Amino acid sequence: MSILTNVAVFLCSLVAMELVAWGAHKYIMHGWAWGWHRSHHAPRRGWFEKNDLFAVVFAGLAIALIYLGSRGWHPLEWVGAGMTAYGLLYFVAHDGLVHHRWPLRYVPRHGYLKRLYQAHRMHHAVDGKEGCVSFGFLWAPSGERLKTELRRIHGGPIRRPRAGASGEGD
């Protein structure tokens, strides 16, 4: 396969993972797999939470795709590589920037990172699995749009996320 094809498959996989993650977050994590994801919406105790098992599942799938691709099932290795790159971006943006699960204590004040940060904070402004907004991890609607959606869903003002919920304490 040509390098251009490989790069295209990698980039398409990376972008497609945001759609996959959005659907998995909305319909699986906030659906039948709430038992794992609930830990992410509660104050974390220790380094890990049950929700981290989703990362293990996605990493296992990416490893399997890379392995199959390297055994002749091209271009699966580049799909797996795109998934892996998405996982790295997720770790930096979601776990690091938003939830401060590693020593970065930066709260963005403008631009894309502020929008991403606010959108995920608004996702956590709701107790429980119902009535949440913003299920993406690397793409986020505007804060005003999300506030309007929260008011429509809940019929009133929204609250700030609990201090300490999933490592959030700002």
Side-chain angles (χ1 to χ4, degrees), residues 85-151:
Y86 182 85
L88 177 64
L89 292 171
Y90 170 91
F91 175 72
V92 170
H94 179 266
D95 287 351
L97 177 70
V98 176
H99 290 293
H100 300 153
R101 289 185 70 181
W102 42 279
L104 176 69
R105 293 284 185 223
Y106 173 69
V107 177
R109 302 288 179 220
H110 51 80
Y112 164 75
L113 292 179
K114 178 182 179 183
R115 182 173 165 161
L116 185 68
Y117 183 85
Q118 287 180 328
H120 200 74
R121 298 280 295 182
M122 281 190 251
H123 176 78
H124 284 269
V126 175
D127 286 323
K129 69 179 185 174
E130 303 295 331
C132 292
V133 296
S134 187
F135 291 91
F137 293 114
L138 298 178
W139 180 85
S142 72
E144 286 307 311
R145 180 174 163 198
L146 292 173
K147 285 178 191 174
T148 300
E149 189 176 346
L150 279 169
R151 286 186 196 108

Side-chain angles (χ1 to χ4, degrees), residues 54-105:
F54 289 113
V56 173
V57 169
F58 277 115
L61 182 55
I63 290 166
L65 290 171
I66 292 168
Y67 175 79
L68 290 172
S70 69
R71 297 292 183 252
W73 292 63
H74 304 291
L76 292 180
E77 66 267 52
W78 295 104
V79 174
M83 289 176 69
T84 301
Y86 182 85
L88 177 64
L89 292 171
Y90 170 91
F91 175 72
V92 170
H94 179 266
D95 287 351
L97 177 70
V98 176
H99 290 293
H100 300 153
R101 289 185 70 181
W102 42 279
L104 176 69
R105 293 284 185 223

Side-chain angles (χ1 to χ4, degrees), residues 25 29 33-41 48-56 90 94-95 101 137 166:
H25 189 192
M29 295 176 189
W34 178 249
W36 282 7
H37 190 60
R38 177 187 296 120
S39 67
H40 182 63
H41 286 263
F48 298 103
E49 53 192 44
K50 198 179 240 186
N51 184 68
D52 294 334
L53 292 171
F54 289 113
V56 173
Y90 170 91
H94 179 266
D95 287 351
R101 289 185 70 181
F137 293 114
S166 292

